[in-house]
Amino acid sequence: MVRSTQVIAALALLAAAPLPAAAPLMAAAPLLAQANARHLGVASCSSSVCHGAVSPSNTYDVQLNEYVTWSHEDSHSKAYTALNSPRSRSIAAKLGIANPAAARLCLDCHTDNVAPERRGPKFSVSDGVGCEACHGGAEHWIATHTSRRATYRENVAQGMYPSANIRERATLCLSCHYGTGDKFATHRIMAAGHPRLSFELDTFLAIEPAHYRVGADYQRRKPSYSRTQTWAYGQLAAALAELEALQGPRINNSATFPELALFNCYACHMSSMHRYDWSHRLLTLAVEPGSVPINDGHLRMTWLIARRLDPPSAPTVLKLSQALLAAGPGGRAQIAARSRDLALLVGKLRDRAATFEWSHTDQQQLLNMLVSLGVEGEFHDYIGAEQAVMAIDGLLIDLGMSREHRTRLDGLYKLVRNDEAYTPESFVTALRELQSALDRASSSRTSG
Ligand code: HEC
Ligand code: HEC
Ligand code: HEC
Ligand code: HEC
């Protein structure tokens, strides 16, 4: 499936040039901004003269209809209600939980579950993932942030969570959409009926949907990022979150199997004993047939991103990823050790990605790599396909090409909409068609 010449060429490139040392892996500090202040509740933000305007404001910098967007269009506002649904009750029953809407296990991700002493009089757990679950407890900034002179930096100094910074934003979203040491959607929860978690920062920010407008005014006040930058940073941060989990107690437990949610769901849930089509791909080149592969959705993107972000380090990323994926038979200590090696390098790449400006050529190259690796089968499993489609979407948008390829993109999304109906063959065929269309477009551009 994978051309071995390409692999050898990739490995033969020069060894990594030194990148500066990485910042601490899990950015623990920023979430501390939320740690002391009281959370006042959505009712403290939602008045019609504050963030509850019916339509976006033209008078002020911010839109002021954030509450309406959140409550009507953003599923975070329903995250608590979802715990009372028949599905949640059925999950809870299988887990031996009497009431999911009162269980910490569920509330930690489905609400702004701060300690009781940090809840103000208007705070309500039924708000679900409310404003302060993302923006931090408002006790110390509620009064001053309304002054148009208060800068973003000043608000943050008062305890507002710095969600405009890509580092803290990724940490925030991943804390619930990937999980942390304290809260995690385990295989036990999923087998009881919880949906599988998958995440891609750029796409998820867009479909939430955004309740802010990133225009010239926003850019004067706050940092802003291209789709490619958000995607790349999000992939590296997610890869790191996983590499951390792979070094911790979820792997090093004494159970017969380690935490299965760290592995590729579809390896077990969609295999067939009558197909005989097990094969290698680039990242699994050193893997023995039949080993349980870890979930490498973000790692595949990490290598691809490294090839443009820091080309000298890419062969090492590939080699260490291959070693990690092949570590299973060597035991849990080896998975942890390989994860540690790779995390050191990915941490440095992630830090570089926070400020890296992706040029048009970079974006074009990333797109070409994604599509050609996809045609060769690197993303043929569902987890790979799903990540590849979201990546292609964001890159086409930044390249100003999403309109001309809209139908093909819609077709790709349709193929990955339902994991049970997904077939690798149709995905590879669709990518091949996209590849020809991209080739045609680029040759007509160069000849025209
Ligand atoms: C690590 C965080 C986390 C934990 C713990 C967690 N969830 Fe979730 N849950 C999520 C996320 C994130 C989603 C949205 C997944 C998506 O669509 O990408 C979700 C989705 C769901 C859904 C589907 C929502 C819908 O509107 O259809 C249900 C039901 C659900 N969770 C119930 C529960 C229950 C019950 C528990 C406790 C046993 C629980 N969750 C624990 C993060 C979590
Ligand atoms: C799931 C996380 C999340 C939730 C919930 C959330 N926000 Fe946001 N919000 C963001 C992100 C991310 C941004 C963009 C980065 C930034 O400007 O901080 C943002 C931006 C904003 C902005 C800045 C707009 C600007 O031009 O500077 C305002 C105001 C805002 N949100 C208000 C609210 C209010 C009010 C609520 C509750 C009704 C809310 N948010 C709920 C994540 C969230
Ligand atoms: C406190 C936990 C928490 C945080 C923080 C959080 N989310 Fe969520 N998110 C959830 C839960 C729970 C759901 C599922 C809600 C439901 O459907 O009932 C969800 C749902 C979503 C969905 C809808 C997914 C779907 O399948 O329709 C998107 C998009 C999303 N979140 C994006 C984000 C982004 C972007 C951020 C960071 C800015 C973020 N979330 C931060 C808990 C969280
Ligand atoms: C190493 C193999 C393996 C991996 C990897 C794995 N599972 Fe499972 N899963 C199982 C087994 C075994 C069962 C129990 C089947 C039974 O009880 O008959 C199960 C049960 C389930 C069930 C209950 C439905 C059923 O088939 O019984 C769901 C849902 C599920 N897993 C989801 C997931 C998700 C989501 C992931 C990835 C995050 C995942 N699994 C990863 C092996 C695996």
Side-chain angles (χ1 to χ4, degrees):
M1 192 149 278
V2 163
R3 281 196 232 111
S4 56
T5 44
Q6 184 188 18
V7 182
I8 293 160
L11 288 173
L13 285 173
L14 289 172
L19 281 165
L25 285 188
M26 209 53 171
L31 286 166
L32 290 178
Q34 295 166 297
N36 301 315
R38 285 203 303 167
H39 290 224
L40 308 180
V42 172
S44 309
C45 323
S46 61
S47 117
S48 60
V49 293
C50 300
H51 296 288
V54 180
S55 48
S57 155
N58 294 317
T59 326
Y60 290 97
D61 301 338
V62 298
Q63 304 196 87
L64 297 181
N65 68 337
E66 296 84 6
Y67 169 73
V68 176
T69 307
W70 173 82
S71 61
H72 291 359
E73 296 173 51
D74 186 332
S75 66
H76 290 121
S77 63
K78 321 279 185 305
Y80 174 82
T81 327
L83 296 179
N84 286 314
S85 69
R87 183 175 186 177
S88 284
R89 282 200 296 272
S90 150
I91 296 173
K94 289 176 203 154
L95 298 174
I97 292 172
N99 178 9
R104 185 176 163 197
L105 179 66
C106 313
L107 292 171
D108 275 352
C109 291
H110 283 260
T111 63
D112 183 15
N113 199 22
V114 292
E117 64 274 17
R118 286 172 50 217
R119 298 178 180 187
K122 290 188 190 166
F123 181 94
S124 169
V125 73
S126 66
D127 287 340
V129 181
C131 318
E132 291 162 290
C134 291
H135 292 292
E139 181 182 20
H140 304 302
W141 51 263
I142 185 110
T144 49
H145 88 292
T146 53
S147 143
R148 297 187 69 192
R149 281 190 307 274
T151 63
Y152 172 60
R153 193 186 288 265
E154 282 159 1
N155 289 327
V156 168
Q158 297 297 319
M160 185 184 274
Y161 185 77
S163 53
N165 302 8
I166 196 147
R167 294 186 177 85
E168 284 81 7
R169 196 186 301 181
T171 306
L172 172 71
C173 309
L174 285 168
S175 72
C176 295
H177 284 269
Y178 182 79
T180 63
D182 298 331
K183 51 181 184 182
F184 199 72
T186 56
H187 188 251
R188 181 171 168 264
I189 299 182
M190 292 187 198
H194 196 278
R196 180 180 63 95
L197 297 192
S198 77
F199 191 67
E200 195 276 281
L201 183 61
D202 177 56
T203 305
F204 273 58
L205 280 165
I207 64 174
E208 191 185 342
H211 48 262
Y212 47 90
R213 205 169 27 202
V214 182
D217 163 72
Y218 183 101
Q219 288 170 324
R220 255 193 308 279
R221 294 180 287 115
K222 293 176 172 182
S224 64
Y225 309 90
S226 69
R227 305 283 305 235
T228 310
Q229 206 174 359
T230 306
W231 165 74
Y233 189 90
Q235 288 295 342
L236 297 168
L240 266 175
E242 170 145 50
L243 292 172
E244 275 209 343
L246 287 169
Q247 296 170 56
R250 296 189 207 287
I251 281 289
N252 284 309
N253 58 19
S254 57
T256 307
F257 300 106
E259 173 52 65
L260 293 183
L262 295 171
F263 294 82
N264 189 329
C265 318
Y266 301 98
C268 295
H269 288 289
M270 277 187 169
S271 64
S272 155
M273 292 191 290
H274 302 285
R275 278 207 322 251
Y276 312 113
D277 63 352
W278 188 92
S279 61
H280 283 119
R281 31 182 186 82
L282 201 44
L283 252 65
T284 62
L285 214 59
V287 169
E288 292 289 341
S291 0
V292 184
I294 60 160
N295 178 348
D296 66 342
H298 300 298
L299 284 180
R300 277 177 263 179
M301 296 300 164
T302 295
W303 172 60
L304 200 122
I305 290 163
R307 289 174 79 184
R308 292 305 296 185
L309 178 65
D310 183 47
S313 74
T316 317
V317 171
L318 180 60
K319 211 171 60 189
L320 294 177
S321 303
Q322 289 170 330
L324 168 59
L325 281 150
R332 298 171 194 209
Q334 208 174 96
I335 296 182
R338 295 290 92 85
S339 300
R340 203 174 309 120
D341 297 343
L342 183 54
L344 284 170
L345 184 49
V346 177
K348 294 176 191 177
L349 291 168
R350 179 202 56 181
D351 292 348
R352 175 174 285 203
T355 51
F356 191 80
E357 305 268 355
W358 297 89
S359 69
H360 195 273
T361 314
D362 289 330
Q363 289 162 342
Q364 191 72 60
Q365 290 293 323
L366 285 169
L367 179 65
N368 292 348
M369 281 194 279
L370 266 165
V371 175
S372 58
L373 283 165
V375 166
E376 286 169 28
E378 191 62 17
F379 309 116
H380 77 284
D381 60 314
Y382 183 78
I383 280 179
E386 173 187 60
Q387 286 295 337
V389 174
M390 293 190 279
I392 291 170
D393 189 1
L395 286 165
L396 285 175
I397 292 173
D398 271 356
L399 286 164
M401 289 157 67
S402 69
R403 198 179 303 220
E404 89 191 75
H405 297 291
R406 192 70 251 171
T407 333
R408 278 177 208 97
L409 206 48
D410 289 347
L412 285 172
Y413 271 114
K414 213 164 141 202
L415 292 176
V416 297
R417 188 171 301 146
N418 174 358
D419 54 0
E420 299 282 339
Y422 171 77
T423 59
E425 301 73 26
S426 48
F427 183 67
V428 171
T429 307
L431 279 182
R432 199 170 283 128
E433 281 161 19
L434 176 64
Q435 190 175 41
S436 323
L438 290 169
D439 288 348
R440 277 197 305 276
S442 87
S443 59
S444 75
R445 250 190 291 278
T446 41
S447 62

